[in-house]
Amino acid sequence: MTDSTPESAPDVEPDMTVDNRGRGCASGIAEVQRALEDLDDGDILVVRSTDGRATEEYPQLAEQTSHELLAIERERGRLLRREYTTYLRVRSE
């Protein structure tokens, strides 16, 4: 995760949530991209993940598109598994 990525949830209501827990980012990114296409400019997408690459993949997605990365939260899930919650604001290109 880049130093400029906040690690606490913004005070916003998500318009859609994609649950990628238990899936790798590579396989889950297609679902995230479909969700981004279905949302309107300014909408908030939340992505729940257990893949540690979330801290790299989703910032890269935001850098390569017009979407804004708001935050990535890290927390302990069940059985010492880490969970990541990513907040993206949809921006039309």
Side-chain angles (χ1 to χ4, degrees):
M1 186 163 35
T2 64
D3 292 336
S4 62
T5 303
E7 293 186 25
S8 59
D11 187 19
V12 295
E13 283 293 318
D15 295 287
M16 183 182 290
T17 300
V18 173
D19 190 348
N20 279 341
R21 290 178 292 186
R23 300 171 69 184
C25 277
S27 64
I29 199 74
E31 187 159 343
V32 169
Q33 289 175 325
R34 281 192 297 272
L36 289 167
E37 291 172 4
D38 290 341
L39 292 168
D40 295 322
D41 188 55
D43 284 351
I44 304 297
L45 174 65
V46 171
V47 182
R48 309 270 325 261
S49 177
T50 51
D51 189 332
R53 291 178 294 179
T55 61
E56 299 167 12
E57 296 289 329
Y58 296 120
Q60 285 178 353
L61 173 68
E63 287 177 16
Q64 295 171 359
T65 64
S66 59
H67 306 304
E68 178 184 358
L69 178 66
L70 300 177
I72 299 178
E73 286 186 312
R74 300 174 194 213
E75 57 191 65
R76 287 273 180 216
R78 297 174 303 185
L79 302 174
L80 302 177
R81 178 174 77 172
R82 280 198 182 258
E83 292 190 9
Y84 304 89
T85 305
T86 303
Y87 297 82
L88 292 165
R89 184 181 318 274
V90 176
R91 294 291 183 211
S92 298
E93 294 186 64

